[in-house]
Amino acid sequence: GVETDRARDVLDRIYEPFRDRLLVTNIDTAELIKHASNSFLAMKISYINMISDLCEKTDADVEQVALGMGLDPRIGKPFLKAGLGYGGSCFPKDIQALVKIGEDLGVDMNLLKEADRVNQARIGNLVNKIKNALWILKDKTIAVLGLAFKPETDDIREASSIKVIAELLKEGSHLRLYDPKAAENMKGVFPEEPPRVTYCRDPYRAAEDSHALLIVTEWDEFRSLDLPRIRGLMKNPIIIDGRNIYDPAEVRGLGFEYYCAGRK
């Protein structure tokens, strides 16, 4: 986005190696490209989560639905991953910003508002799964694996974990939390207060004596957990997988009660 010919010429020289992908626009267009791109990706996430809810009412498998959709080159595979939805510093902010811009200009932005509503509802969806598994959450010990809004970061801005933790504490649960990078940041939101909130040094310590284990962030570390060891540490062998990182048949074959998104 530029306002003058001189600014355009400077950017042309800077981005010369990327000439085939260079698009020069005015400031308003550049701003809308950014907001529109992130909002569109957020809509893809909310869309597949809506389909995931439909899959749970049928015999369909959301992973296979997403795979089939992704084979269509007009759609593509990225951002068709059902689960707890989006967070972080970009998607929520950019959807809200684009809605505000549109409404200020008298444009109907209900499509984006609905995408945001679907995303917000993912937390209640997960909590209902936990309630279905445990019935009563008060005084139950729940291991929460993953605090960052996505893997490979310590960023907890708009993280799903914050809303999940808040809801479980409201229900009176005792939480054992673990994340490879984001635990220190989360302590600023939820200070350690055993037994209500305990931060653990590894996922196995978090699983000790727990009535259920939640997967909230899809760290690769969690994909390779020693699940038989985890089962032996838990009071109840229950996994609620908010990111669909495990194969249901395999996990149930190890003796777990397993809940996921859009799969049987």
Side-chain angles (χ1 to χ4, degrees):
V2 298
E3 293 179 319
T4 66
D5 290 343
R6 181 174 180 275
R8 183 198 61 210
D9 293 342
V10 169
L11 289 175
D12 275 344
R13 290 195 297 274
I14 292 173
Y15 292 105
E16 176 64 31
F18 309 100
R19 169 63 57 185
D20 60 329
R21 299 185 60 195
L22 189 62
L23 173 66
V24 180
T25 72
N26 62 26
I27 298 295
D28 284 352
T29 302
E31 181 180 357
L32 280 181
I33 287 172
K34 194 261 189 184
H35 288 321
S37 296
N38 280 342
S39 295
F40 184 80
L41 296 176
M43 281 198 302
K44 285 186 74 173
I45 295 170
S46 287
Y47 183 84
I48 199 62
N49 277 325
M50 178 189 70
I51 297 300
S52 172
D53 290 343
L54 187 59
C55 288
E56 291 182 8
K57 304 293 185 181
T58 68
D59 288 328
D61 184 317
V62 73
E63 298 281 295
Q64 292 183 326
V65 172
L67 179 61
M69 290 175 62
L71 294 175
D72 187 328
R74 299 168 301 173
I75 298 174
K77 293 187 293 184
F79 296 90
L80 288 178
K81 185 68 177 174
L84 274 174
Y86 56 81
S89 62
C90 290
F91 287 4
K93 171 178 61 66
D94 283 354
I95 272 202
Q96 291 161 16
L98 197 51
V99 167
K100 179 68 164 57
I101 290 169
E103 290 185 337
D104 286 350
L105 296 172
V107 177
D108 185 342
M109 305 299 287
N110 282 337
L111 181 61
L112 286 187
K113 290 165 75 173
E114 184 62 15
D116 190 53
R117 186 201 65 78
V118 170
N119 193 63
Q120 296 294 334
R122 302 316 295 170
I123 304 304
N125 181 283
L126 179 75
V127 172
N128 284 338
K129 284 185 169 72
I130 303 169
K131 288 180 177 178
N132 288 338
L134 295 179
W135 292 86
I136 297 171
L137 301 187
K138 183 175 172 58
D139 295 328
K140 295 291 176 64
T141 299
I142 300 175
V144 179
L145 302 190
L147 304 175
F149 88 90
K150 68 177 182 178
E152 306 305 327
T153 182
D154 65 356
D155 194 343
I156 61 169
R157 287 176 292 179
E158 296 291 332
S160 298
S161 58
I162 294 176
K163 299 165 189 173
V164 171
I165 291 168
E167 287 298 315
L168 293 178
L169 289 177
K170 194 185 303 181
E171 294 284 345
S173 301
H174 299 164
L175 305 181
R176 298 176 62 79
L177 313 178
Y178 171 75
D179 188 281
K181 293 184 178 180
E184 287 303 314
N185 288 340
M186 192 60 80
K187 287 178 183 178
V189 182
F190 299 104
E192 188 156 32
E193 184 191 342
R196 280 172 51 80
V197 179
T198 303
Y199 289 88
C200 301
R201 65 170 181 258
D202 61 56
Y204 300 100
R205 184 60 62 91
E208 283 182 5
D209 296 324
S210 64
H211 296 93
L213 182 146
L214 309 186
I215 304 293
V216 178
T217 311
E218 60 272 37
W219 287 93
D220 283 342
E221 176 182 351
F222 303 155
R223 300 178 195 276
S224 57
L225 287 177
D226 182 343
L227 291 180
R229 179 183 173 189
I230 290 285
R231 186 181 186 280
L233 292 169
M234 298 178 70
K235 283 185 177 177
N236 297 332
I238 297 172
I239 293 177
I240 297 97
D241 185 354
R243 298 297 181 181
N244 280 0
I245 68 171
Y246 297 128
D247 176 82
E250 182 178 328
V251 175
R252 290 177 183 132
L254 293 172
F256 286 94
E257 190 176 330
Y258 181 71
Y259 301 84
C260 51
R263 300 179 297 167
K264 299 300 183 184

